[in-house]
Amino acid sequence: MAPSFSTLAARRFGYGLRPGETPPADVESLMTQVERGAAAKPRFPREGLLGRKETIGRLVSVRTVEAKVAEAGRPNASMRADTEREADRLFFRDALGRIAQAVYSENGFYERLASFWLDHFSIDAAKTYEMRMIAPVYEAEAIRPHLAGPFADLLRAAVLHPAMLISTDQTLSVAPQSPAGAEAGGALNDRLARALLHDYALGPDLPVAEADIQAAAMLLTGVTVDVRTLTVGYEPQRAEPGRLTLLGRTYGEGGRGAKDHLDMLGELASRPETAQFVCRSLVRHFIAEVPPQEVVQAMVTAWTATGGNLTAVYRAMLDQPRAWAPEAGTVIQPFDFVVSSLRALDVKGETFEAMAKAADDAAATERAAGDAKAPVRYRAEVTRALTVDGLERMGQPIWGVSRPLDAAPPSAAAGAANAGGVDAGGSAQAEGSVRSVWLTKRQLAERIAWIRLAARVLIADPHPAALIDTALADAARDETRTVVAQAPTKLHGLTMVFLSPEFNRR
């Protein structure tokens, strides 16, 4: 029996089924989720955007003082350790908030879109001390508010956010012919330019000359960040002077200025190659590893007609019959697996919050495991294993560089196995192979370990037969039901539900 529209909508375009939550009944319901999600405030950063920026300013100032004292021969190891510990606590709480956001939000399509775009414009929270605190701000400030509007706005917000500029070392780039470069021997950094052309806009299939990459890098020189305030500015003394030509367009005819890099981003956003690449990436993420051309073309047509309005592009995708084909689609990533599992297990919000608080309290008091007399689920190492550490082990750290287990290591520019199916260096992977990297033997072993731990600490009396209806509904195959029914133990049966092809493919 083919799965119903509601089951497909919840599993293919959301984070799966959850008891007590009504799945989308039609395309309009999914589009309403996008509208509601855009108006909702995320659970991270914990103290809000303004509060987090104040925290960053305070901690960065403390670090600056510590560095100056150390240079003077009076290092203060405890001061540095305290700031490191605080940054780690903030990151952990925010990471749990991001998981909770996906688990408990009723706007599953919006949440999936947020994850798609976060993968597309990937950053690395492990890059620097500050990045652990800035990464949540990046998603909340650059990605989520812009994912339903013009692509040009999203591109500018993502590429020019402090998190992106720091993560790619763009803040260190100095044009060789600029006053600052001539004076101090500046070095041009082309990491962001390379990722911009290959991964964020044009895609890997368009041949781009090295001269164009260098021109893009030159156009980005001068863009700076004040880490204390997270303010992006422009310093002309670090920028490459004179005219620059990128993909046939000349910038700086009347002299280089602060708008040149903005004009470049607008031009890249408007190119037809960008529309093709982004639409194909969306289809790969949501529908099929080999994107059906008719779906891509319908989305590109909507893109062209609306000047890249992403809401219109999403609707065009959902309006295509192929979007609702019953055949299993792409393999779910580790984050999807964990979130969908927590939803199917009906982990209550108060339980998740209590687990998070216990782990945070343990970190605050420097106790590795928390209260030894507390239930197992409230021990810090268990919470971490089911969330942040579990995702790290599966190869998809939150706000980090994805490293699919048993897959080739990513290059340094951005995240591997990203939403567009391109590795960080911009080289296209073979059609149909992108998502398969998430189901290697090691990946399955990690998923099994996660399931067994979750079953032991989150479910008092698991009933696999009931769970299969909760997690898969009418998407469950007869073969899966038979395997689950014949399982020798409840734990084995529950594991079979979460390892089934239906659960691991959209």
Side-chain angles (χ1 to χ4, degrees):
M1 182 176 68
S4 65
F5 180 97
S6 292
T7 299
L8 276 174
R11 292 186 44 75
R12 184 168 292 169
F13 297 102
Y15 278 115
L17 298 162
R18 180 171 173 243
E21 187 175 294
T22 302
D26 50 32
V27 169
E28 205 57 48
S29 299
L30 287 170
M31 296 307 300
T32 298
Q33 289 184 0
V34 177
E35 183 179 342
R36 288 200 311 254
K41 180 181 178 181
R43 296 175 181 236
F44 54 86
R46 186 72 171 269
E47 64 270 48
L49 288 172
L50 182 59
R52 173 54 55 83
K53 290 179 180 181
E54 291 175 348
T55 300
I56 292 171
R58 173 176 58 83
L59 291 178
V60 168
S61 295
V62 171
R63 295 274 287 201
T64 302
V65 170
E66 187 276 331
K68 290 182 178 179
V69 170
E71 287 179 4
R74 300 188 305 276
N76 190 328
S78 62
M79 181 185 295
R80 175 168 287 265
D82 287 344
T83 57
E84 289 282 351
R85 190 177 302 112
E86 181 65 14
D88 286 341
R89 283 187 62 201
L90 289 171
F91 178 83
F92 179 64
R93 289 189 303 182
D94 287 338
L96 291 184
R98 186 175 197 282
I99 294 172
Q101 178 77 26
V103 172
Y104 300 110
S105 174
E106 294 185 351
N107 305 313
F109 185 38
Y110 176 85
E111 293 301 323
R112 282 284 305 287
L113 286 167
S115 290
F116 166 82
W117 287 114
L118 187 63
D119 284 346
H120 188 85
F121 295 108
S122 60
I123 58 170
D124 185 6
K127 172 72 177 180
T128 67
Y129 162 77
E130 296 85 2
M131 279 294 296
R132 279 173 277 174
M133 298 179 286
I134 299 174
V137 176
Y138 173 70
E139 180 175 349
E141 190 173 60
I143 302 298
R144 287 177 173 264
H146 300 96
L147 63 77
F151 176 74
D153 291 354
L154 176 59
L155 182 67
R156 281 192 293 267
V159 171
L160 298 180
H161 193 273
M164 178 66 74
L165 298 173
I166 294 171
S167 186
T168 57
D169 290 326
Q170 182 60 38
T171 53
L172 305 179
S173 185
V174 179
Q177 302 302 317
S178 67
E183 185 176 311
L188 182 69
N189 186 307
D190 65 7
R191 289 183 60 201
L192 179 55
R194 199 171 293 275
L196 170 62
L197 297 181
H198 285 311
D199 299 339
Y200 305 155
L202 304 177
D205 295 331
L206 181 68
V208 177
E210 188 65 23
D212 286 317
I213 293 174
Q214 295 304 303
M218 296 284 193
L219 286 166
L220 288 166
T221 54
V223 179
T224 60
V225 175
D226 184 334
V227 179
R228 287 189 182 85
T229 63
L230 295 190
T231 300
V232 175
Y234 182 77
E235 296 182 5
Q237 66 269 27
R238 297 168 63 93
E240 182 72 8
R243 294 182 300 174
L244 292 166
T245 300
L246 169 63
L247 299 173
R249 174 168 172 175
T250 300
Y251 299 84
E253 286 279 14
R256 286 293 316 286
K259 288 186 59 180
D260 289 339
H261 64 280
L262 298 176
D263 291 342
M264 172 185 66
L265 293 174
E267 171 70 14
L268 290 173
S270 68
R271 291 183 69 98
E273 298 91 347
T274 298
Q276 282 282 343
F277 172 59
V278 172
C279 291
R280 287 178 65 82
S281 299
L282 280 162
V283 176
R284 274 181 144 174
H285 181 83
F286 284 101
I287 299 175
E289 292 168 351
V290 180
Q293 187 54 38
E294 69 274 16
V295 180
V296 175
Q297 190 53 53
M299 296 165 68
V300 170
T301 299
W303 180 300
T304 303
T306 62
N309 183 278
L310 293 172
T311 296
V313 172
Y314 305 149
R315 182 180 289 277
M317 175 176 67
L318 297 176
D319 281 341
Q320 286 296 301
R322 179 61 181 82
W324 304 100
E327 295 80 17
T330 57
V331 172
I332 64 175
Q333 297 177 347
F335 184 83
D336 301 43
F337 175 79
V338 168
V339 170
S340 296
S341 298
L342 292 174
R343 286 174 61 83
L345 293 171
D346 197 22
V347 177
K348 303 301 182 184
E350 55 268 26
T351 298
F352 193 91
E353 288 296 325
M355 291 169 62
K357 184 178 185 304
D360 188 49
D361 289 346
T365 56
E366 299 185 39
R367 288 178 292 148
D371 187 354
K373 297 180 180 179
V376 175
R377 73 179 63 172
Y378 299 129
R379 293 175 66 82
E381 77 275 16
V382 172
T383 300
R384 296 190 70 99
L386 290 173
T387 56
V388 177
D389 289 356
L391 287 167
E392 181 86 38
R393 287 181 61 86
M394 292 181 198
Q396 192 178 28
I398 294 179
W399 296 307
V401 178
S402 295
R403 295 180 177 88
L405 305 182
D406 295 327
S411 68
N418 64 18
V422 181
D423 69 22
S427 58
Q429 300 181 29
E431 291 271 40
S433 69
V434 179
R435 293 301 168 195
S436 62
V437 299
W438 293 117
L439 277 186
T440 63
K441 289 182 179 180
R442 287 183 60 201
Q443 182 65 231
L444 286 173
E446 291 295 343
R447 294 190 185 199
I448 291 171
W450 188 95
I451 293 165
R452 294 179 69 86
L453 177 61
R456 182 164 65 89
V457 304
L458 297 178
I459 309 176
D461 186 20
H463 293 281
L467 179 67
I468 197 170
D469 288 327
T470 298
L472 297 172
D474 52 9
R477 301 175 304 150
D478 291 341
E479 297 91 330
T480 298
R481 292 185 181 276
T482 299
V483 169
V484 171
Q486 294 176 349
T489 66
K490 287 183 177 180
L491 178 58
H492 187 83
L494 186 146
T495 302
M496 290 301 98
V497 173
F498 288 119
L499 287 184
S500 65
E502 302 97 300
F503 192 82
N504 285 275
R505 282 188 177 272
R506 298 187 175 107

